[in-house]
C-alpha cells in the first residue's frame, strides 16, 4: 500500500509500510494480536498536520506535506502528536500561526493505545465504544482487528469526528462515528468501552457507565489522575475491577471547543502573594503535575487542585490552586527545603507533604493495584487492605 502526499504541484507517493512495521515491532509483542493492525495503519494520514511546543509555552504548526521525512519520522515514532491547542486545530493553522493555551486533542502514542486496547479485553463479535476519537488511531486499529461494524467512535468535537471519518474512510475503515458530550449522554450500548480521555468521577462517569452492557468491560483513566481503571459491569450495575499497576496521562473531557479558563486570578496570587501561613517545607520542590503517583493521590485526598511549575536558574517553584480559593507556593534552590506560602480554606502544600511522608514511610502509596467498585451513580470506591476512599460523591 502506498499513500499519496499532496503538494502544490500534485501528489507524490510516500512509502510508509517499513515505518509502520518498525513501529509495530516497537510497541507490540511478537505474538500480539495488535501487531498487524499497527503495521497496517498509515498513521501519517491521520495526522497530516500537528503542533509542537517551542519551549516557551507557544506552539508551532507543522505541515507534513512540506517535509515528508519529518512527517514520517513524527508519525511513526512512539510519541503523541498534539493536533489541537485551545480552539485551533493544526489543520486550520495558517503559515506562521502560533497557538497558545492547553492541548485539547492529540494522536495518542501508539504503545499507550495498544495497552488500552489490551486492557479492554476485546474479542470477536464484541461491540466497542472508542471514547475520545482524537485523530482516529485507536479507531483504526480496532476496525482492523474487530471489523468496522463492531466499532463506534465518539468525540465531543465535530471537526475531529468529521476529519477522522474521512481519513478512516480513505483507508477503507467505516465505523460508526458520533459527536456527543459523553459526560452528558452516550448514545447506544456496548460490550466494551475504551476511553482515551480522563473521565470525571460522579455524574460524568455515570453517563458513560450507563452505556456499558451488563457483563461488559471498561478501561479508562480518571480525571486529574494517571490511574488506569478497569472493571466488569455486574448484574447490579456496579463496575468491579482494579487500578492497574501502570499509569497513563490523558486529557480531561471537555464540553466545548476549549477547556474553561484556568484559575488565573488564583495563580496570580500564588505567584505573587504573601500567604496567610509561611513556613519551611520538609521536602524539595517537585513538579506535581509530572509526579504522577503523587498527583493521583492528591486528587484522591484533595480533589480539584491545579498545578504550575517554573524554573529560573537553580530556583524551582511549584504553585497549587483550588477552586475554593486555596493556593500555595513553594520555592527553593534545587533540593534545599522550600519557603512555603499558603492561604485559603485548605493548606495545599501540607496536604501534599502528608502524601510524601506516607510514601517515604511505607515505601509505596495504596493506589496501584487497589480494588475498585464504581456504583451506578459514578462514584468510585477504592480499597486496599484497611485503606478505603470514595471519589466523586456529591
Amino acid at each position: 500500500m502506498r499513500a499519496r502526499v499532496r503538494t502544490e504541484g500534485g501528489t507524490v507517493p510516500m512509502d510508509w509500510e517499513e515505518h509502520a512495521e518498525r513501529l509495530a515491532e516497537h510497541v507490540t509483542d511478537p505474538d500480539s494480536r495488535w501487531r498487524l493492525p499497527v503495521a497496517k495503519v498509515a498513521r501519517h494520514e491521520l495526522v497530516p498536520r500537528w503542533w509542537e511546543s517551542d519551549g516557551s509555552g507557544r506552539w508551532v504548526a507543522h505541515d507534513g506535506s512540506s517535509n515528508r521525512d519529518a512527517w514520517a519520522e513524527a508519525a511513526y515514532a512512539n510519541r503523541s502528536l498534539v493536533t489541537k491547542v485551545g480552539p485551533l486545530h493544526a489543520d486550520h493553522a495558517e503559515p506562521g500561526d502560533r497557538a497558545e493555551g492547553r492541548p485539547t486533542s492529540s494522536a495518542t502514542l501508539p504503545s499507550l493505545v495498544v495497552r488500552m486496547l489490551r486492557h479492554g479485553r476485546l474479542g470477536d463479535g464484541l461491540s466497542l465504544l472508542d471514547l475520545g476519537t482524537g485523530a482516529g488511531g485507536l479507531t483504526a486499529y480496532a476496525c482492523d482487528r474487530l471489523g468496522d461494524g463492531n466499532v463506534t467512535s465518539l468525540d465531543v468535537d465535530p471537526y475531529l469526528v468529521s476529519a477522522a471519518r474521512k481519513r478512516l474512510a480513505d483507508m477503507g475503515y467505516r465505523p460508526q462515528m458520533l459527536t456527543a458530550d459523553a459526560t452528558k449522554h452516550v448514545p447506544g450500548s456496548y460490550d466494551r468501552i475504551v476511553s482515551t480521555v480522563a473521565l470525571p468521577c460522579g455524574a460524568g462517569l455515570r453517563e458513560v457507565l450507563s452505556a456499558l452492557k451488563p457483563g461488559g468491560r471498561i478501561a479508562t483513566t480518571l480525571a486529574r489522575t494517571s490511574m488506569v481503571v478497569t472493571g466488569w459491569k455486574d448484574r447490579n450495575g456496579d463496575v468491579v475491577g482494579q487500578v492497574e499497576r501502570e499509569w497513563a496521562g490523558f486529557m480531561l473531557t471537555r464540553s466545548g471547543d476549549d477547556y474553561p479558563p484556568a484559575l488565573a486570578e488564583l495563580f496570580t496570587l500564588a505567584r505573587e502573594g504573601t500567604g496567610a501561613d509561611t513556613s519551611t517545607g520538609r521536602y524539595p520542590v517537585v513538579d506535581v503535575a509530572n509526579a504522577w503517583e503523587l498527583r493521583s493521590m492528591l486528587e484522591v485526598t484533595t480533589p480539584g487542585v491545579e498545578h504550575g511549575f517554573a524554573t529560573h536558574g537553580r530556583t524551582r517553584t511549584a504553585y497549587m490552586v483550588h477552586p475554593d480559593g486555596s493556593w500555595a507556593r513553594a520555592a527553593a534552590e534545587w533540593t534545599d527545603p522550600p519557603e512555603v506560602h499558603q492561604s485559603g480554606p485548605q493548606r495545599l502544600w501540607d496536604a501534599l507533604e502528608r502524601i510524601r511522608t506516607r510514601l517515604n514511610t511505607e515505601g509505596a502509596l495504596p493506589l496501584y493495584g487497589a480494588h475498585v467498585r464504581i456504583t451506578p451513580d459514578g462514584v468510585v470506591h477504592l480499597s486496599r487492605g484497611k485503606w478505603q476512599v470514595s471519589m466523586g460523591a456529591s
Side-chain angles (χ1 to χ4, degrees):
M1 191 179 296
R2 177 170 288 190
R4 310 293 296 189
V5 180
R6 294 175 179 83
T7 67
E8 291 184 2
T11 61
V12 295
M14 172 188 267
D15 294 316
W16 56 271
E17 294 92 336
E18 290 185 6
H19 295 292
E21 180 62 34
R22 282 195 296 271
L23 177 63
E25 291 176 359
H26 182 59
V27 304
T28 66
D29 294 327
D31 63 346
S32 172
R33 295 179 301 170
W34 296 106
R35 192 182 188 95
L36 186 58
V38 175
K40 288 174 62 177
V41 169
R43 188 174 184 242
H44 71 283
E45 291 188 357
L46 298 174
V47 196
R49 306 187 80 191
W50 68 97
W51 295 102
E52 290 190 11
S53 174
D54 65 2
S56 67
R58 303 185 71 184
W59 298 83
V60 180
H62 289 256
D63 184 349
S65 65
S66 66
N67 187 330
R68 289 193 297 173
D69 291 339
W71 189 10
E73 182 179 354
Y76 295 100
N78 185 32
R79 56 176 285 202
S80 294
L81 296 176
V82 173
T83 53
K84 186 177 179 185
V85 175
L88 183 58
H89 198 287
D91 289 353
H92 304 141
E94 299 293 337
D97 275 356
R98 299 288 187 272
E100 296 184 12
R102 298 166 62 184
T104 46
S105 188
S106 70
T108 302
L109 70 159
S111 62
L112 180 52
V113 171
V114 169
R115 295 205 312 271
M116 293 302 292
L117 287 166
R118 290 177 61 197
H119 284 310
R121 305 279 184 86
L122 308 182
D124 295 340
L126 297 176
S127 57
L128 167 69
L129 174 65
D130 167 19
L131 187 54
T133 303
L138 189 149
T139 307
Y141 297 162
C143 284
D144 194 85
R145 171 71 182 83
L146 303 174
D148 303 4
N150 292 316
V151 179
T152 299
S153 188
L154 182 151
D155 204 290
V156 71
D157 191 317
Y159 178 74
L160 295 179
V161 173
S162 64
R165 178 188 290 114
K166 181 181 185 306
R167 290 163 183 166
L168 290 166
D170 288 344
M171 296 180 182
Y173 302 127
R174 292 176 174 80
Q176 183 180 19
M177 305 292 292
L178 300 176
T179 302
D181 182 348
T183 65
K184 296 179 180 177
H185 176 63
V186 178
S189 58
Y190 307 92
D191 297 305
R192 301 290 187 268
I193 297 176
V194 175
S195 178
T196 52
V197 291
L199 297 175
C201 301
L205 187 54
R206 178 189 67 208
E207 296 304 316
V208 174
L209 295 183
S210 69
L212 185 63
K213 294 179 181 179
R217 180 175 174 86
I218 187 171
T220 186
T221 58
L222 303 179
R224 296 189 180 87
T225 83
S226 59
M227 294 187 293
V228 178
V229 171
T230 62
W232 302 91
K233 191 171 186 178
D234 66 20
R235 65 183 65 185
N236 298 319
D238 290 355
V239 169
V240 180
Q242 66 180 354
V243 178
E244 298 291 339
R245 293 181 183 274
E246 65 167 308
W247 46 84
F250 288 116
M251 297 176 191
L252 296 170
T253 55
R254 53 186 171 86
S255 296
D257 208 32
D258 195 358
Y259 294 113
L263 302 173
E265 291 185 3
L266 275 177
F267 271 114
T268 298
L269 276 175
R271 285 192 297 270
E272 302 173 359
T274 299
D277 286 352
T278 303
S279 62
T280 299
R282 183 174 182 180
Y283 302 109
V285 174
V286 63
D287 180 1
V288 184
N290 288 306
W292 285 8
E293 190 172 12
L294 293 178
R295 178 70 184 91
S296 296
M297 192 66 173
L298 185 67
E299 180 64 19
V300 170
T301 62
T302 314
V305 179
E306 295 186 19
H307 299 274
F309 182 78
T311 59
H312 300 282
R314 288 176 54 84
T315 300
R316 297 155 52 88
T317 307
Y319 309 98
M320 304 170 68
V321 300
H322 191 276
D324 70 2
S326 303
W327 62 265
R329 179 181 72 251
E333 285 199 23
W334 202 233
T335 58
D336 290 348
E339 179 181 277
V340 179
H341 292 262
Q342 303 183 85
S343 281
Q346 302 184 78
R347 296 297 179 257
L348 302 180
W349 194 260
D350 291 352
L352 178 65
E353 292 216 326
R354 285 192 292 271
I355 294 170
R356 298 177 77 177
T357 296
R358 179 171 190 169
L359 177 61
N360 290 344
T361 302
E362 300 179 9
L365 296 173
L367 292 178
Y368 297 105
H371 178 267
V372 174
R373 178 177 292 274
I374 310 175
T375 46
D377 56 2
V379 176
V380 178
H381 305 274
L382 304 175
S383 61
R384 189 171 184 180
K386 296 181 179 179
W387 178 76
Q388 299 182 50
V389 71
S390 297
M391 302 173 65
S394 57

